[in-house]
Amino acid sequence: MATLGDIGVSAAFNVLTAIAFLLAFAFLRLQPINDRVYFPKWYLRGMRDNPITSGAAVQKFVNLDARSYLKFLNWMPAALKMPQDELINHAGLDSVVYLRIYLIGLKIFVPITVLAFAVLVPVNWTNNALEGTTVVHSNIDNLSISNVPYGSKRFIAHVAMAYAITFWTCYVLLKEYQIIAKLRLRFLASEKRRPDQFTVLVRNIPQDPDESISELTEHFFLVNHPDHYLRHQVVYNANKLSDLVEKKKKMQNWLDYYRLKFERNPSERPTTKTGFLGCFGSKVDAIDYYKSEIEKIGKEEAEERKKVMKDPKSVVPAAFVSFRSRWGAAVCAQTQQTSNPTVWLTEWAPEPRDVYWNNLSIPFVSLTVRRLIIAVAFFFLNFFYVIPIAFVQSLANLEGIEKALPFLKPLVELPLIKSFIQGFLPGIALKIFLIVLPMILMFMSKFEGLISHSSLERRSASKYYIFLFFNVFLGSVITGSALEQLKTYIHTSANEIPKIIGMSIPMKATFFITYVMVDGWTGIAGEILRVKPLIFYHIKNFFLVKTEKDREEAMDPGSICFDSCEPRIQLYFLLGLVYAAVTPFLLPFILVFFGFAYVVYRHQIINVYNQQYESGAQFWPSVHGRIITALIISQLLLLGLLSTKGFEESTPVLLVLPVLTFWFFKYCKNRYEPAFVRNPLQEAMRKDTLERAREPNFDLKTYLAGSYLHPVFKASDDDDKYSAMDDDGWMDEEVIVPTKRHSRRTTPAQSKYDGSDGLSSVPEKS
């Protein structure tokens, strides 16, 4: 178990590592050769040029201005200088609300930390319950609730602290919900015209023997939304075609690489092997080989395009339907279309760049089965991940290492090595173990069939949070405590085990302190250094880049990885709220994380990240709900902890807190969440009216044309790319097709463009 000295060694190591990362970043960002790595957002927007384009050749690679190095830390105040409204215009509301999560952490935990150190630390420190016990403990545990004697009246201070934490946290969350809801409504009201404001995604379109999906969609909306329907775009299953296009692009990159290599050394033709990864198989001329491969894939691509265009089975029962006004789209998206609630299902369309096209081809009826499969798979993933977590915990203490690797015992007993193992190894072991988890959870979310990148990230974040709670928090607490106190459990009567658990659980704070320093200090410093994008940019720049467009594509600005970053923040909220009334010594480490991460991510959002989509902070209700969940968990754990400490009188008093907290959650959900789920018709009408007054002749149909066409069909600047507009007029101006329906049982009237005699607008009575 880590002592105060071990934590000090770990803190020194992590602080020095973080400082080294920051100094490396401060130096590298000043070099002209790295300018596109650390400021890619400005280049993508055309607002930044190469810092040095003339002068000595060395100046294009190295900054020779000595004065600039004296201001190597000016990125910190610069990151904080941009006002919030300007930041919303620059990076979007999603990024700004994401940053506010860190601010919420500071608002909640700064007062709680001050109060906990002023009240609870003296209460815990001035006891001696741990002295003379058989429970394994360290000097840090004297600051925890474990040091308060069994049944002591001093636990009243901890109960009072729980009430203070609850009311303050709820107050901060209420104010933030109000602020963020206003920001969202103001953002939507002031937002520029976007295709998704006028478009609805329609799914589970019923099959009709007389009409195609496109004709049926047009007929249905002309009948049921005659004054507002504008156009539609059916959805094609172009997944195979998309794979071919991507494969062709990779082959083209290799061809460009070998051509560039040949240009630099014309005396020798480059060669490659045709087998796995170019390492096996027969040796061939690389340029000729990739030319032939591209030609072969091009033929497959052309055949697949024709198949997608001509084969009715390639059209899935879904369509993007656009309306003449936001009001018309809002009515359609937020209402039930027919008496059968399982067909003609409507929802707001994601913005075009947010659409995850691969999942649109999944049959709607299979989504329930897919989600059931993933629910079962996720359960077993959680269950079996406990085994490696327990293994990490067993190796994260000296006895476990000495038993597993006895020959290392002399080395492990050295003071510095011992401090390193107990103060640093547990955190880094857990960090390494969680690296691949976000990718697994994202794959599971994609299998569920979600149709937008934003919803995929929100679903993955939800899974990740559940995993962190059960495996990292509960798993580490239970398995770690059990392993550390194993001897005590064996030699103690069963009646005393609950007391031992009550004393040992707060002691796991030392493990989480090491994790916070590794992940929240060193990890955040590593985020700003951008080692991976730096290396990959220079590799691509040297081997592949020939034009400015190539150089732009070589940049990897990245984006906020909401699916992995937000659950990580929520883990810190959970740790802070749980241990605030139990082991307050953890709180300063969490405060450093929130403050440091806020500055770093603000800099990254301003200069680096280029968000793939803008959801208008739709993720905020989930964030709010997870903080509330952490608060309730902290209340229940404190209730159980005090019960094992002989203070059962606190149970009815503490039971009030989860009830009040849940009521507060329901109040916020009913009062503010609708602003994140539905678009008010009043606001839609107001915006439509203003736009019609300002631009009465605006051609909305032309503006929306092609917005929701699958990317593989869109025209490209490359000559060899296929243009969907050139093949027999496909996707030209839509032709209104008269209905071919013989029976009108499902729609009351024919298309108004039908050339037949006028019929009644209601079904004929038999």
Side-chain angles (χ1 to χ4, degrees):
M1 180 175 290
T3 63
L4 189 59
D6 299 334
I7 295 296
V9 171
S10 178
F13 183 84
N14 282 285
V15 168
L16 289 175
T17 305
I19 290 174
F21 285 168
L22 292 176
L23 290 176
F25 162 72
F27 174 79
L28 291 173
R29 66 185 284 271
L30 295 175
Q31 310 312 314
I33 194 173
N34 299 325
D35 206 54
R36 290 177 179 268
V37 177
Y38 294 109
F39 302 95
K41 190 167 193 170
W42 300 100
Y43 280 95
L44 292 174
R45 297 192 173 193
M47 301 173 68
R48 190 179 180 97
D49 296 322
N50 289 326
I52 298 176
T53 56
S54 61
V58 70
Q59 287 184 315
K60 297 181 180 180
F61 302 96
V62 181
N63 186 353
L64 300 179
D65 183 6
R67 291 175 297 178
S68 63
Y69 292 96
L70 300 177
K71 302 177 181 179
F72 68 96
L73 291 178
N74 66 351
W75 66 270
M76 291 186 180
L80 300 173
K81 191 179 295 183
M82 185 178 287
Q84 180 173 272
D85 290 343
E86 185 180 344
L87 188 58
I88 291 175
N89 293 330
H90 176 71
L93 185 62
D94 281 344
S95 299
V96 170
V97 173
Y98 176 79
L99 285 174
R100 289 196 71 90
I101 302 175
Y102 294 104
L103 282 181
I104 292 169
L106 292 173
K107 289 179 181 179
I108 290 175
F109 288 114
V110 168
I112 289 177
T113 302
V114 173
L115 187 61
F117 271 78
V119 176
L120 292 187
V121 169
V123 169
N124 297 336
W125 178 261
T126 54
N127 288 280
N128 56 0
L130 290 174
E131 293 181 9
T133 63
T134 57
V135 176
V136 180
H137 65 279
S138 68
N139 47 11
I140 294 178
D141 300 318
N142 292 327
L143 301 175
S144 75
I145 198 174
S146 299
N147 199 37
V148 180
Y150 185 82
S152 172
K153 296 298 181 184
R154 290 194 173 197
F155 289 124
I156 295 175
H158 300 83
V159 174
M161 188 67 185
Y163 270 83
I165 292 170
T166 298
F167 287 124
W168 175 248
T169 303
C170 289
Y171 173 77
V172 172
L173 289 177
L174 178 64
K175 291 298 180 182
E176 284 298 320
Y177 221 140
Q178 292 173 347
I179 292 170
I180 294 172
K182 288 180 181 177
L183 284 175
R184 173 175 165 81
L185 292 175
R186 191 177 71 181
F187 176 78
L188 294 177
S190 62
E191 196 177 21
K192 295 179 180 178
R193 183 187 292 112
R194 289 194 332 195
D196 55 294
Q197 297 170 351
F198 301 88
T199 306
V200 169
L201 174 61
V202 185
R203 306 183 78 180
N204 215 25
I205 299 173
Q207 297 291 333
D208 189 284
D210 299 319
E211 295 180 322
S212 66
I213 294 293
S214 180
E215 294 167 343
L216 182 62
T217 302
E218 180 213 1
H219 178 82
F220 180 86
F221 283 95
L222 282 173
V223 169
N224 296 288
H225 298 267
D227 299 324
H228 300 284
Y229 167 74
L230 181 62
R231 68 185 306 277
H232 70 276
Q233 171 64 60
V234 294
V235 177
Y236 292 87
N237 183 358
N239 291 351
K240 184 178 178 181
L241 177 59
S242 181
D243 292 339
L244 289 171
V245 170
E246 189 63 27
K247 185 178 179 181
K248 184 179 177 182
K249 184 178 178 181
K250 290 179 181 178
M251 291 291 180
Q252 186 65 48
N253 286 339
W254 279 112
L255 179 61
D256 292 341
Y257 163 70
Y258 283 114
R259 278 175 171 169
L260 192 61
K261 186 177 180 180
F262 182 63
E263 288 175 8
R264 291 172 178 171
N265 186 16
S267 61
E268 183 180 357
R269 294 277 295 185
T271 60
T272 187
K273 292 185 178 181
T274 58
F276 181 68
L277 294 177
C279 300
F280 304 96
S282 57
K283 187 182 260 189
V284 295
D285 183 282
I287 295 177
D288 293 340
Y289 171 73
Y290 282 107
K291 276 184 179 179
S292 63
E293 287 295 309
I294 290 172
E295 185 178 352
K296 188 190 302 181
I297 296 172
K299 292 178 180 178
E300 293 180 30
E301 182 185 338
E303 292 176 3
E304 183 64 22
R305 287 185 190 278
K306 292 179 180 178
K307 179 182 176 183
V308 171
M309 289 164 46
K310 306 298 182 184
D311 188 359
K313 293 181 180 179
S314 296
V315 181
V316 300
F320 290 99
V321 180
S322 299
F323 294 82
R324 301 180 187 277
S325 64
R326 296 175 180 84
W327 190 92
V331 170
C332 181
Q334 297 166 183
T335 55
Q336 182 175 313
Q337 300 304 304
T338 70
S339 58
N340 184 353
T342 63
V343 297
W344 296 102
L345 303 176
T346 58
E347 59 182 286
W348 280 107
E351 64 166 316
R353 59 181 178 164
D354 189 21
V355 177
Y356 185 67
W357 294 96
N358 288 353
N359 280 358
L360 280 173
S361 60
I362 297 175
F364 188 83
V365 294
S366 69
L367 295 182
T368 303
V369 177
R370 284 171 168 262
R371 286 167 187 169
L372 178 61
I373 293 172
I374 290 301
V376 174
F378 183 63
F379 170 79
F380 283 105
L381 178 67
N382 269 281
F383 182 78
F384 287 111
Y385 232 94
V386 173
I387 299 172
I389 291 290
F391 177 73
V392 169
Q393 287 290 329
S394 69
L395 294 181
N397 60 78
L398 293 180
E399 289 186 1
I401 294 176
E402 290 173 357
K403 288 179 181 178
L405 304 169
F407 61 91
L408 291 178
K409 186 174 181 179
L411 180 65
V412 168
E413 292 296 332
L414 294 174
L416 185 61
I417 301 297
K418 179 180 177 181
S419 296
F420 176 81
I421 291 173
Q422 293 189 323
F424 183 76
L425 185 60
I428 194 66
L430 182 59
K431 176 76 174 174
I432 292 172
F433 221 73
L434 295 175
I435 287 177
V436 298
L437 186 63
M439 292 183 285
I440 296 173
L441 297 179
M442 178 57 75
F443 172 79
M444 295 172 77
S445 297
K446 288 179 178 178
F447 184 82
E448 286 186 84
L450 300 171
I451 51 90
S452 67
H453 293 285
S454 56
S455 60
L456 283 170
E457 291 199 345
R458 290 197 297 272
R459 184 65 62 85
S460 296
S462 178
K463 290 186 178 71
Y464 198 13
Y465 177 73
I466 294 171
F467 182 91
L468 290 176
F469 171 69
F470 281 105
N471 285 279
V472 176
F473 179 68
L474 287 183
S476 297
V477 166
I478 295 171
T479 59
S481 299
L483 290 168
E484 287 174 355
Q485 310 299 335
L486 188 59
K487 287 183 180 179
T488 307
Y489 291 155
I490 293 173
H491 298 95
T492 305
S493 65
N495 294 333
E496 296 295 318
I497 288 180
K499 296 180 184 179
I500 297 171
I501 293 174
M503 298 178 71
S504 61
I505 287 178
M507 299 176 188
K508 288 308 296 177
T510 54
F511 166 75
F512 290 117
I513 288 172
T514 64
Y515 179 74
V516 169
M517 287 190 290
V518 171
D519 181 69
W521 297 7
T522 307
I524 296 299
E527 175 67 28
I528 201 170
L529 185 57
R530 307 196 77 225
V531 176
K532 181 181 173 182
L534 178 68
I535 295 172
F536 275 81
Y537 170 75
H538 286 302
I539 291 174
K540 291 178 181 178
N541 192 38
F542 183 79
F543 290 109
L544 297 176
V545 169
K546 292 187 294 183
T547 65
E548 281 300 313
K549 184 180 178 182
D550 295 336
R551 186 169 286 107
E552 187 173 293
E553 291 179 352
M555 291 188 296
D556 179 21
S559 60
I560 298 171
C561 296
F562 184 82
D563 58 313
S564 58
C565 291
E566 191 271 340
R568 185 174 66 176
I569 305 172
Q570 294 296 340
L571 177 62
Y572 293 120
F573 275 106
L574 177 63
L575 295 176
L577 292 171
V578 166
Y579 281 98
V582 174
T583 309
F585 188 72
L586 176 67
L587 293 176
F589 298 89
I590 291 178
L591 281 181
V592 172
F593 161 75
F594 279 117
F596 185 38
Y598 175 74
V599 176
V600 167
Y601 278 102
R602 208 173 200 276
H603 173 274
Q604 299 295 83
I605 284 170
I606 291 172
N607 298 298
V608 180
Y609 296 150
N610 188 39
Q611 284 301 100
Q612 295 180 348
Y613 60 84
E614 175 59 55
S615 70
Q618 276 190 314
F619 59 83
W620 168 251
S622 300
V623 174
H624 176 267
R626 285 194 270 272
I627 298 177
I628 291 292
T629 301
L631 184 59
I632 293 176
I633 290 168
S634 70
Q635 295 160 355
L636 295 176
L637 287 178
L638 181 63
L639 187 153
L641 191 59
L642 291 180
S643 297
T644 65
K645 298 283 286 182
F647 199 62
E648 293 84 359
E649 306 94 292
S650 65
T651 300
V653 180
L654 288 175
L655 273 177
V656 175
L657 291 179
V659 176
L660 290 177
T661 306
F662 184 73
W663 174 85
F664 169 76
F665 169 73
K666 294 297 291 183
Y667 168 78
C668 291
K669 184 179 180 67
N670 295 330
R671 173 64 181 85
Y672 299 109
E673 189 172 325
F676 295 84
V677 179
R678 302 182 183 91
N679 287 4
L681 293 179
Q682 182 185 31
E683 292 298 320
M685 179 61 76
R686 186 183 67 83
K687 200 162 185 178
D688 289 334
T689 304
L690 285 174
E691 281 197 355
R692 280 195 293 267
R694 291 171 181 169
E695 302 175 82
N697 299 320
F698 182 77
D699 188 355
L700 184 62
K701 191 169 187 178
T702 302
Y703 170 75
L704 294 174
S707 296
Y708 286 96
L709 181 64
H710 197 293
V712 296
F713 294 126
K714 290 186 177 179
S716 174
D717 295 332
D718 300 328
D719 293 335
D720 60 339
K721 294 281 187 181
Y722 177 85
S723 173
M725 312 293 286
D726 295 334
D727 194 329
D728 297 327
W730 189 63
M731 287 309 299
D732 284 343
E733 180 71 19
E734 286 190 354
V735 179
I736 304 300
V737 183
T739 179
K740 301 174 183 177
R741 182 184 306 279
H742 297 292
S743 170
R744 292 196 299 277
R745 291 180 180 176
T746 56
T747 51
Q750 65 182 50
S751 166
K752 66 180 181 180
Y753 294 92
D754 193 341
S756 59
D757 295 334
L759 297 172
S760 173
S761 61
V762 294
E764 296 177 359
K765 296 181 180 180
S766 55

